[in-house]
Amino acid sequence: METVTTQRTAAGDGALGHFVGGAYLSGGNRTFENRNPVDGSLVGHVTEAGGAEVDAAVAAARAALGGPWRRLAAADRARVLHRVADGIEARFDAFLAAEVRDTGKPNSLAALIDIPRGAANFRVFADLIKNAGDEVFAMATPDGTGAINYGVRVPKGVIAVICPWNLPLLLMTWKVAPALACGNAVVVKPSEETPTTATLLGEVMNAAGVPPGVYNVIHGFGPDSAGELLTRHAGIDAITFTGETRTGEAIMKAAAVGVRDVSMELGGKNPAIVFADANLDHALEGTTRSTFANCGQVCLGTERVYVERAVFAEFVARLKTAAERLRPGRPEAAETTLGPLISQQHRDKVLGYYQRARAEGAEVITGGGIPDMPAALAGGSWIQPTIWTGLPEDSAIVRDEIFGPCCHVRPFDDEDEAIALANDTLYGLCCSVWTQNLARAHRVAARMDVGLCWVNSWFLRDLRTPFGGAKRSGIGREGGMHSLAFYTELRNVCIKL
Ligand code: NAD
């Protein structure tokens, strides 16, 4: 496997630097550790940006806005973005190694989802911007000469992109690609847990011919650190954020100063509804993935499962078997199907819910603790896949986003009850419905208070369709033309003939 060749700044301590104006930049408040969640080993040190580095990144982006990028024809920007995708694919192994080292996820998962989607995001938005049309109307005027009235998209400016750690390259490029396609410049603040692939992408941007300053990366934490400094910065025109709902609230407050636009992709407590008429094999396969994939650290993951009573016992027994078949282990081992949680701190949080479930009298169908791992991996943040039944709906286990490999399963007796249970949450990101009754599928989908409703599937989506959450799971939609709408100002031009 190719070693990670991300240039580490010559800051004396070899810490991972920021990427500003097309070059790596050292300096900042201090450095912090990046640890591998597989065994707790040190990946390296990362430089935390202070005010001066954030100022430099925003200034580089503002300067780039006055440069050639936004003036390129859309087809030419699209060509450059395809070269970025080519660059990710050409350095696939380096991106894979970096992502796996930061997250601990199995190579098989990152190679199937994270890195290919990083490249695909650039291709989708390159093609979209090349083909996007504008609205044009020929108008009648009282004097009979007429007018042409049209909308034209202009870049919004400098976009702050704040990202989480669960799908670092995938979620970051999901925002950077459309922002760049529309002619903006960006300053990215990757999660402090997963700083590497965003930094590595800087080299790809340079090689692809993205002008210096169009893509910038600063490292650090959220509150009182790079994240807050960036979102409060007066040189930022709009903020696109993926992360926890509470963080979203803090960022919205920062964005209110100066009336900056926000796009918020936030948390979830997503239900699956399994009707007795479902193809149970498919429902089990889908629910196993949606609950345990990426060790449960997927915003779209399932943490509440409602199963029609006639198949409840069978479903629970088979989900238990599937959970117990998952194999934690080294990411590169072919048999590994479960990675660790992102950090010891996150494991403490998830284990807190495991203990609470037991204390509240949940029936623990499987899991509930820490797996026995070989001594070399004992420093990792491993956790058992866990299934509970028997808790009331007002339990924190059923209400809070846990973000671990776990779910609570509860029986229901009819369609109305299932919908009411599934909708009884502050969140509204997604749901998955398992039924072979077509009319029921449409009926239920129409009544779910969510941004995305899957039927007989999960995590299946054409990237041109809208993506986002209802209720406290987000504001706005990205994906396809919806991303273009967020990353541009639509200017109305009316020409009297
Ligand atoms: P988080 O909210 O803790 O952090 C996300 C990012 O925000 C990090 O880069 C962090 O440093 C930064 N940040 C934190 N506080 C900040 C502040 N006050 N100002 C500016 N920046 C700040 O989220 P996380 O733990 O990294 O990720 C997990 C969460 O993300 C879960 O809630 C999950 O559901 C959510 N998520 C949502 C989606 C979606 O599309 N809806 C996708 C993935 C993850």
Side-chain angles (χ1 to χ4, degrees):
M1 179 175 287
E2 189 187 339
T3 51
V4 182
T5 56
T6 303
Q7 180 181 334
R8 305 226 165 215
T9 61
D13 50 10
L16 191 72
H18 318 292
F19 183 77
V20 173
Y24 289 93
L25 177 77
S26 59
N29 288 346
R30 59 182 178 121
T31 63
F32 60 94
E33 289 181 348
N34 176 19
R35 291 203 168 264
N36 185 335
V38 166
D39 55 10
S41 63
L42 188 67
V43 174
H45 287 88
V46 185
T47 314
E48 183 189 12
E53 292 72 33
V54 175
D55 283 349
V58 175
R62 295 224 73 85
L65 268 189
W69 183 245
R70 67 182 291 166
R71 291 197 296 271
L72 281 181
D76 293 330
R77 275 203 306 273
R79 248 189 296 279
V80 176
L81 295 181
H82 273 295
R83 288 204 296 269
V84 173
D86 294 342
I88 294 173
E89 285 163 0
R91 302 188 63 185
F92 192 93
D93 287 351
F95 277 99
L96 182 65
E99 204 72 312
V100 166
R101 221 165 338 152
D102 279 359
T103 60
K105 63 180 77 189
N107 282 22
S108 53
L109 182 66
L112 183 70
I113 307 280
D114 296 71
I115 314 305
R117 258 294 297 278
N121 286 337
F122 285 100
R123 297 206 190 283
V124 164
F125 289 107
D127 290 343
L128 204 67
I129 198 71
K130 201 168 58 180
N131 296 307
D134 290 317
E135 305 158 72
V136 184
F137 299 95
M139 282 176 68
T141 53
D143 64 4
T145 63
I148 307 279
N149 197 179
Y150 60 92
V152 60
R153 281 193 191 84
V154 296
K156 214 164 224 171
V158 176
I159 314 287
V161 182
I162 313 274
C163 308
W165 43 258
N166 59 331
L167 299 158
L169 182 72
L170 186 161
L171 290 171
M172 187 260 298
T173 52
W174 172 242
K175 291 166 176 299
V176 167
L180 264 48
C182 293
N184 299 285
V186 298
V187 181
V188 176
K189 211 295 282 171
S191 168
E192 53 275 26
E193 305 281 3
T194 53
T196 314
T197 46
T199 315
L200 186 55
L201 189 63
E203 294 175 17
V204 171
M205 292 279 178
N206 280 350
V210 175
V214 169
Y215 174 79
N216 306 278
V217 180
I218 51 155
H219 294 297
F221 301 83
D224 303 319
S225 182
E228 188 175 342
L229 288 168
L230 183 62
T231 53
R232 291 193 179 284
H233 202 291
I236 294 296
D237 297 301
I239 303 168
T240 179
F241 170 71
T242 304
E244 276 192 20
T245 297
R246 254 172 315 174
T247 312
E249 288 174 353
I251 291 177
M252 283 183 76
K253 285 183 191 154
V257 179
V259 196
R260 278 93 50 82
D261 205 355
V262 291
S263 174
M264 296 267 142
E265 295 182 348
L266 307 177
K269 185 72 180 177
N270 310 304
I273 304 177
V274 182
F275 287 97
D277 65 26
N279 177 321
L280 266 205
D281 292 342
H282 293 173
L284 274 152
E285 187 277 330
T287 309
T288 304
R289 269 192 307 126
S290 68
T291 303
F292 303 117
N294 210 35
C295 202
Q297 303 165 120
V298 183
C299 56
L300 303 165
T302 301
E303 291 192 358
R304 298 181 294 140
V305 187
Y306 299 102
V307 184
E308 196 162 358
R309 199 173 298 277
V311 293
F312 180 77
E314 179 187 353
F315 188 90
V316 171
R318 291 178 64 186
L319 192 63
K320 167 180 157 69
T321 304
E324 290 173 355
R325 259 195 221 122
L326 294 167
R327 286 285 154 266
R330 287 209 172 273
E332 63 279 8
E335 64 277 13
T336 299
T337 47
L338 189 75
L341 291 174
I342 190 69
S343 64
Q344 298 289 347
Q345 192 190 3
H346 186 50
R347 183 171 73 167
D348 289 345
K349 176 188 153 187
V350 176
L351 280 174
Y353 281 104
Y354 281 19
Q355 281 149 14
R356 190 163 173 172
R358 227 181 267 277
E360 288 182 11
E363 183 184 347
V364 183
I365 302 296
T366 187
I370 296 173
D372 287 332
M373 299 300 290
L377 302 184
S381 29
W382 302 96
I383 195 154
Q384 286 178 328
T386 295
I387 302 168
W388 306 283
T389 62
L391 287 172
E393 289 294 297
D394 62 359
S395 162
I397 310 301
V398 185
R399 303 210 74 77
D400 297 358
E401 181 186 50
I402 299 174
F403 223 55
C406 54
C407 64
H408 181 258
V409 195
R410 172 189 166 131
F412 68 84
D413 292 301
D414 63 42
E415 192 177 301
D416 282 343
E417 183 194 8
I419 293 169
L421 287 166
N423 276 338
D424 184 15
T425 168
L426 295 174
Y427 293 104
L429 188 50
C430 71
C431 66
S432 46
V433 179
W434 301 88
T435 177
Q436 296 198 76
N437 178 330
L438 187 60
R440 165 176 278 160
H442 284 290
R443 254 192 335 259
V444 176
R447 292 178 60 193
M448 292 305 304
D449 300 335
V450 292
L452 298 111
C453 179
W454 277 291
V455 177
N456 297 329
S457 58
W458 178 76
F459 212 82
L460 181 67
R461 190 168 61 88
D462 188 306
L463 299 181
R464 292 167 296 184
T465 60
F467 178 91
K471 293 152 77 176
R472 294 195 192 172
S473 290
I475 294 186
R477 292 292 179 272
E478 297 198 30
M481 295 303 290
H482 308 278
S483 294
L484 303 193
F486 178 73
Y487 293 106
T488 51
E489 290 291 353
L490 251 185
R491 179 174 300 151
N492 185 320
V493 180
C494 189
I495 313 249
K496 174 104 174 15
L497 300 177

